[in-house]
Amino acid sequence: MKKIAIFLFVFFMVNLCHANEMQKFGKQMSYFYLNSTEKNYIEFQKRASSFEQQLKSSKRHTDTIVALMIARISEKYNWSIQDTFLKKQALEILQGKSRLAKFINDDNAVNPTKLDMWWASYFATGDEKYLHKILLYAGEELPGKDNVSKLLIIGAATWSFKSNCKQHKSVRDFALKMSNDSSLSMKKRAYLLKVVEFADKAHS
């Protein structure tokens, strides 16, 4: 009985440590742009490599999302891509010739996965051009149920933009800035003011 208790304790601790590392990795994914050093970039790739099986088995194409982040960071800072299982995919994205790379670079080919890619690119680089891409869909009027594809895209963009305004001050500040942009529709500007208010209330 004592041996079983010890085994369960060790098993629990191993899984707890694993969960903590996963949490650290997730946080690094979301906030890399705020602490973009080469040391953190190398650490990011090592952490990704340690979760190879989880990333590969994810149904949300998480391995591709991480490879994209690695490629974007390398492209922006001219830092080397480490020799991990994601290196080939990251290099393909940089070269822009593969089917995947062409999809990533085609702003007209939009689905919920593309939205994830734009968010990942922003979290990797802090470049507002990705927020502009997302804002084209966030806060737009939802179409009828006969256009399920567009319904999903606008719904996901609207929700994710609001959520990230709460979690990222830079996104909140971008939303506030764009709410004063006269080139946007009144409805879009009203949406932006609402998400800023939502973010501010969450932190008050």
Side-chain angles (χ1 to χ4, degrees), residues 78-144:
N78 198 30
W79 292 335
S80 298
I81 295 174
Q82 302 296 299
D83 191 16
T84 70
F85 80 102
L86 290 167
K87 182 175 183 177
K88 181 181 178 182
Q89 200 171 25
L91 288 173
E92 283 181 357
I93 292 169
L94 281 178
Q95 291 162 0
K97 296 178 181 178
S98 69
R99 184 178 178 182
L100 171 64
K102 288 176 180 177
F103 167 72
I104 289 171
N105 293 323
D106 185 356
D107 288 347
N108 294 313
V110 182
N111 59 21
T113 298
K114 178 61 72 66
L115 294 174
D116 287 343
M117 290 178 172
W118 284 339
W119 279 120
S121 297
Y122 176 72
F123 296 149
T125 65
D127 193 330
E128 286 187 356
K129 72 180 181 182
Y130 300 110
L131 298 183
H132 282 287
K133 294 175 191 288
I134 297 163
L135 191 56
L136 288 174
Y137 301 91
E140 289 294 296
E141 186 174 349
L142 291 170

Side-chain angles (χ1 to χ4, degrees), residues 18 21-22 24-26 28-29 32 37-55 66-67 69-70 73 80-87 90:
H18 187 75
E21 282 302 306
M22 278 289 283
K24 287 179 183 177
F25 180 56
Q28 195 174 25
M29 279 185 70
F32 183 87
T37 66
E38 189 170 10
K39 180 182 177 181
N40 285 338
Y41 179 52
I42 292 170
E43 183 184 72
F44 178 71
Q45 292 176 84
K46 286 181 178 177
R47 275 206 174 114
S49 187
S50 70
F51 295 118
E52 179 176 353
Q53 293 306 315
Q54 291 93 327
L55 293 177
V66 177
M69 291 188 70
I70 291 170
I73 296 166
S80 298
I81 295 174
Q82 302 296 299
D83 191 16
T84 70
F85 80 102
L86 290 167
K87 182 175 183 177

